[in-house]
Amino acid sequence: MPARVRTAVIPAAGLGTRFLPATKAQPKEMLAVLDRPAIQYVVEEAAAAGLDDVLIVTSRGKHALGDHFDRMPELEAELERKGKTDALEQVVALAELARVHTVRQAEPRGLGHAVAMAADHVGDASFAVLLPDDLMVDDAALLRGMLGAHAEHGAPVVALKEVPRADISAYGCPRIEPVEGPLVRITEVIEKPDPEDAPSSLALTGRYVLTPAVFEALARVSPGKGGEIQLTDALGLLAETGTVYGWVFREGRYDVGTPLDNLRANIELALERPELAAELGPYLADLVRRRNL
Ligand code: G1P
């Protein structure tokens, strides 16, 4: 049985061009969803799944990502002086969620290249990759399931979700064979195929449990879609020579890197908070009535 997975790698070096102008001078991962930046949900999910070591791959102008998980003595002293104990506890707990490290990707050469930046940190262990655009509202159930499958089988496990065929060209798309329950075997995977060439309507979504073999595969792949080093192409190589699993899930994912899904995530997360839901629920119901939606 492979050793317990401890590290979550969070690629966060991208420019956030789908959410301009909000992301012109601010990392997209710091955009708030309800009361916390998107990246915090991802680190909380990692911690909830037992991953206590986090490596964020950042780039120029993205200091805020590391700062958010660091202690902030001036702020803490001020909150203490003002007797704001709840806020103080929250900011201290945030710095204690996990050991958070950062590494910088010097050039935007793709997701695969960003993941390769984690090689020295990860060493010879399996690790998880969590894409911060994909916000999961599932108490880490998906990630836990994938880690369980990895512990049992020792091979990479990637998250898959059914999407409308017309949307498949925004995702990596696998050809699969059923194994058992949510577990499938990936025999081939294509990055962002045209819908008519797609081997399935399953999309790679932003959770991966990988073995260190992926670093050798990443070193072998040539630039692919968009001229970038694609993680999907490295997974394809691994699937040619060994086993790569998929884990099919249905619920709980928002692409918070796009304005509409970001808004959906805000509404649904707020409806799960009793103190907000009490007013938001009737407000939404009334809005639907008034606007004839
Ligand atoms: C990346 C991956 C793609 C995956 C997607 C999930 O694409 O390259 O295979 O399906 O994340 O969100 P991106 O959204 O960065 O273009």
Side-chain angles (χ1 to χ4, degrees):
M1 192 170 120
R4 184 166 86 84
V5 177
R6 310 205 68 137
T7 302
V9 173
I10 305 182
L15 290 173
T17 51
R18 290 187 300 165
F19 221 132
L20 283 167
T23 51
K24 186 180 170 203
Q26 176 190 208
K28 68 170 172 178
E29 298 80 8
M30 288 303 291
L31 292 179
V33 179
L34 214 57
D35 60 355
R36 59 196 77 172
I39 193 145
Q40 186 177 330
Y41 291 93
V42 181
V43 173
E44 286 171 344
E45 178 191 342
L51 309 178
D52 55 6
D53 179 64
V54 170
L55 179 70
I56 307 178
V57 183
T58 67
S59 56
R60 270 184 304 285
K62 292 200 147 185
H63 285 291
L65 295 175
D67 290 348
H68 188 68
F69 298 98
D70 201 356
R71 295 294 295 266
M72 210 164 270
E74 306 83 347
L75 176 64
E76 290 169 23
E78 180 70 358
L79 293 172
E80 177 133 44
R81 201 178 58 78
K82 291 194 167 154
K84 297 194 167 177
T85 349
D86 284 356
L88 176 61
E89 275 169 18
Q90 270 190 31
V91 297
V92 173
L94 188 49
E96 287 169 356
L97 264 177
R99 278 173 287 115
V100 176
H101 311 265
T102 58
V103 62
R104 278 166 63 136
Q105 183 189 22
E107 300 166 88
R109 293 182 54 200
L111 176 60
H113 182 259
V115 170
M117 302 299 300
D120 287 346
H121 184 93
V122 163
D124 201 17
S126 292
F127 63 105
V129 172
L130 283 68
L131 305 190
D133 272 355
D134 286 321
L135 191 151
M136 299 300 306
V137 185
D138 68 345
D139 291 322
L142 168 66
L143 188 56
R144 273 190 254 256
M146 293 169 63
L147 288 165
H150 175 73
E152 196 178 337
H153 301 285
V157 185
V158 306
L160 300 175
K161 186 172 190 290
E162 184 93 36
V163 298
R165 216 163 241 264
D167 297 348
I168 201 72
S169 50
Y171 300 97
C173 175
R175 186 182 305 283
I176 58 147
E177 291 168 356
V179 177
E180 196 190 7
L183 197 67
V184 297
R185 186 171 169 180
I186 293 179
T187 54
E188 184 196 349
V189 59
I190 306 175
E191 178 67 3
K192 304 196 170 93
D194 290 335
E196 56 276 19
D197 301 330
S200 69
S201 50
L202 290 168
L204 255 60
T205 29
R207 299 293 178 272
Y208 309 75
V209 179
L210 302 173
T211 59
V214 78
F215 296 122
E216 289 149 41
L218 283 167
R220 282 173 51 209
V221 296
S222 324
K225 204 89 191 180
E228 297 186 335
I229 302 292
Q230 297 292 351
L231 180 58
T232 303
D233 294 342
L235 291 169
L237 275 187
L238 293 177
E240 272 173 26
T241 49
T243 308
V244 176
Y245 291 107
W247 184 270
V248 183
F249 74 102
R250 289 175 204 291
E251 300 295 334
R253 175 223 180 213
Y254 299 95
D255 180 357
V256 291
T258 60
L260 183 61
D261 238 22
N262 190 292
L263 197 53
R264 281 196 192 113
N266 272 285
I267 293 171
E268 297 205 19
L269 283 166
L271 288 174
E272 281 176 20
R273 299 261 189 98
E275 75 281 12
L276 297 174
E279 282 191 41
L280 183 64
Y283 163 77
L284 288 174
D286 183 51
L287 189 68
V288 167
R289 240 189 341 266
R290 277 190 290 124
R291 299 274 176 104
N292 285 323
L293 296 174

